[in-house]
Amino acid sequence: MGLNTTSQSIPVNHPVSLRQLYTLESDSETHIQTVFERARAVQPTIESLSPEERIEYVMKIKDYVIANREVLIDRIVEETGKSRFDAFTSEIFEICDVIEIYKKKALALLKDQPVPTPLVLMGKKSFIIPQPLGVILVITPWNYPLYQTLVPSMLAFLAGNAVVVKPSEQTPMKGVLEDILEKSGFVKDAIQVVYGGKETGTQLIDQRPDKIHFTGSCATGRKIMEHASRYLIPVDLELGGKDASIVFGDVDIERTANGILWGAFTTAGQSCTSIERLYVEQSIFDTLIKEIVRLTQQLKVATTEEDLGKTNVDVGAVTAPFQVKVIEAHIQDAIEKGAKILCGGKCVEGSQVFMPTVLVNVNHSMKIMTEETFGPVLPIMSFQTEEEVIRLANDSPYGLGGSIWSRDLKRADRVARAMKTGNISINGHMINEANPHLPFGGVKESGFGRYKGDLGIWTFCNMKSVLVDKQSPMIEAHWYPFTLSKYKLLNTILDSLFVRSKKWPQVIKAAMQLDKIGRKEKY
Ligand code: ADP
């Protein structure tokens, strides 16, 4: 059949020591085909489970994650190079939180959703049935290997779909997801894992899944959308960002500096919503920068594998070797154009640990302020007015998230509304992501589609619209025969129903006449 049956070996290295952990054999095309056959075979079984039963299966995953959290954190830390604390808060804790929230939320969202039926359709009823789409393909990046694979997969499963998930070849965590699913007693084949790089990704799309949920870079998002368009497969794209954080002069300096520090350096700046650029009001610029630099220099940075295992280490490594090059290139470009490094600025020798870096004298002619750096780098610019900072924040091809810091909540609200992004936190950064009731997603080149919130389930559903007439004896007024009296009556209805000064008794009278005429005028 011309399928590729050979596999490719991909080395998986420790980002701190650069030691090879193992080599990943990418799955062959024949295997991928079998995976999809199994997914399609199991999907009707998943659909036949009640939402309560599906929730119970997902709860088993939560029980397993809670009971095995330390072992899971060990694997996350080893492959991503992130600090233990980061792995705990942004992956383990978040996974449990999402499941806990959807335990109730999914039940309400998967019920038939009633909607009003307008008066012209008197006597009928309308509702939406959220039904599964079929098989969902989830393609994930390296930065949150457990969270990004598990959360969309579970939400798609809750909606009644089978799932095929391909982790990033940078952090495949080979065998971990399979262990979670098997040992927790999850439905066999309901979520299957396929390993490999971009070629594997393209082969998966060729299997024509019913939807693709992708998290990753803009460049790859474009390719995936292009490929999916060949088969008209719908896509949700969670892409990159260049999040701006805006600090006004009236803030509590200590709290804000600490919040900014975490927003910029958590997971070594490799969150798509990390603070990638900071704008500080001129009146507190020097004071805040001094505090940020003082705190940055106190951060405990992992320089050995052992460090990463400790709970009191703040910042870990950059996961992918090619990302280190991007970070270096952005800093180099900024320096050449006049930027000044206040701390950090380079890698720890022989590792991918990039020292947390603060830069000033930056502007929008530099890559560091316009392109996604995706590393522990905080470039800071000053501003004078609200209008100026809104313009600067929106001067970006991206529109993922952002944050505003101010005691004046009216002003913060104004700026939040003016920022062209999908998500905003006020007096915190990324804190909106900690609430699974809030949808998450971007605008502009940060992608489209939302997950979490109500849409987190509905994005994986065919929202089927149904309108029911209870077999009334009426021949509808818009059916044949077309007669002059019907035409006149419909005109009266239009005049009485849609004019601004509508008179309800008249509308009801006309609707009743419609019913009568429907019984009378027929072939
Ligand atoms: P990042 O991890 O930097 O966000 P990418 O956006 O390149 O990296 O990759 C994210 C995921 O997309 C990975 O799992 C990768 O293997 C996969 N991928 C890369 N290129 C393609 C492609 N052309 N088609 C399908 N999947 C791809």
Side-chain angles (χ1 to χ4, degrees), residues 35 53-54 111 137 148 155 233 253 266 280 374 384 415 480 482 509:
V35 162
E53 287 169 318
R54 287 181 222 148
K111 283 196 179 115
L137 172 60
Q148 301 278 22
L155 295 181
I233 301 170
I253 297 280
T266 180
V280 179
F374 219 60
Q384 310 252 13
V415 177
Y480 307 118
F482 291 162
K509 203 170 133 207

Side-chain angles (χ1 to χ4, degrees), residues 171-325:
T171 52
M173 304 226 299
K174 172 99 176 143
V176 170
L177 201 52
E178 295 90 323
D179 257 6
I180 295 176
L181 296 166
E182 202 189 313
K183 294 187 180 156
S184 68
F186 204 70
V187 185
K188 191 169 181 320
D189 293 338
I191 301 178
Q192 296 176 83
V193 194
V194 169
Y195 294 103
K198 65 171 143 190
E199 198 190 333
T200 306
T202 61
Q203 289 165 353
L204 286 164
I205 299 173
D206 283 331
Q207 291 296 320
R208 303 186 182 210
D210 297 287
K211 177 152 195 174
I212 301 172
H213 181 90
F214 172 74
T215 309
S217 65
C218 293
T220 303
R222 270 198 187 89
K223 284 185 203 145
I224 286 180
M225 188 169 165
E226 220 173 281
H227 191 168
S229 74
R230 279 184 228 159
Y231 310 116
L232 287 178
I233 301 170
V235 290
D236 278 343
L237 300 179
E238 301 291 347
L239 308 179
K242 189 74 193 169
D243 279 18
S245 189
I246 299 173
V247 182
F248 286 99
D250 61 350
V251 294
D252 173 330
I253 297 280
E254 190 191 6
R255 179 180 190 276
T256 307
N258 274 284
I260 299 284
L261 209 69
W262 179 84
F265 300 138
T266 180
T267 310
Q270 298 163 100
S271 301
C272 37
T273 47
S274 297
I275 300 178
E276 286 257 335
R277 48 199 174 118
L278 178 64
Y279 301 97
V280 179
E281 193 164 7
Q282 186 64 57
S283 56
I284 56 158
F285 189 79
D286 291 340
T287 321
L288 187 71
I289 274 52
K290 214 168 136 201
E291 183 62 359
I292 287 176
V293 172
R294 188 184 73 79
L295 292 171
T296 305
Q297 285 169 331
Q298 289 185 25
L299 288 173
K300 290 189 198 73
V301 181
T303 52
T304 63
E305 275 193 33
E306 294 69 50
D307 281 352
L308 273 188
K310 296 177 188 160
T311 48
N312 65 343
V313 161
D314 300 308
V315 184
V318 173
T319 306
F322 51 83
Q323 200 59 41
V324 174
K325 295 209 164 59

Side-chain angles (χ1 to χ4, degrees), residues 24-182:
L24 180 77
E25 297 302 317
S26 66
D27 287 316
S28 69
E29 211 171 344
T30 32
H31 178 71
I32 289 172
Q33 203 171 48
T34 311
V35 162
F36 266 82
E37 279 159 15
R38 283 192 213 131
R40 297 215 184 276
V42 78
Q43 193 277 324
T45 310
I46 303 168
E47 187 166 357
S48 70
L49 296 171
S50 67
E52 287 85 350
E53 287 169 318
R54 287 181 222 148
I55 289 166
E56 187 43 40
Y57 277 112
V58 169
M59 294 289 283
K60 286 180 185 201
I61 291 188
K62 183 170 63 129
D63 297 341
Y64 183 90
V65 169
I66 292 172
N68 295 280
R69 71 189 101 158
E70 292 301 325
V71 182
L72 293 171
I73 291 174
D74 283 342
R75 280 300 293 274
I76 297 171
V77 162
E78 189 175 60
E79 294 199 19
T80 60
K82 70 173 73 176
S83 69
R84 192 164 197 88
F85 209 96
D86 274 337
F88 175 74
T89 52
S90 61
E91 304 223 45
I92 302 296
F93 199 94
E94 286 291 292
I95 289 166
C96 296
D97 196 25
V98 168
I99 298 177
E100 192 61 25
I101 297 290
Y102 277 95
K103 187 174 76 181
K104 278 204 191 123
K105 203 172 177 63
L107 271 188
L109 295 170
L110 291 169
K111 283 196 179 115
D112 290 357
Q113 309 287 312
V115 296
T117 305
L119 197 67
V120 278
L121 296 169
M122 203 164 60
K124 307 184 199 313
K125 73 170 186 179
S126 317
F127 56 96
I128 303 164
I129 317 174
Q131 289 186 319
L133 290 168
V135 178
I136 308 296
L137 172 60
V138 177
I139 300 182
T140 68
W142 78 65
N143 50 350
Y144 295 97
L146 195 60
Y147 177 87
Q148 301 278 22
T149 47
L150 214 39
V151 169
S153 300
M154 285 187 307
L155 295 181
F157 168 83
L158 282 176
N161 299 286
V163 179
V164 176
V165 54
K166 192 199 86 60
S168 164
E169 62 276 31
Q170 297 296 323
T171 52
M173 304 226 299
K174 172 99 176 143
V176 170
L177 201 52
E178 295 90 323
D179 257 6
I180 295 176
L181 296 166
E182 202 189 313

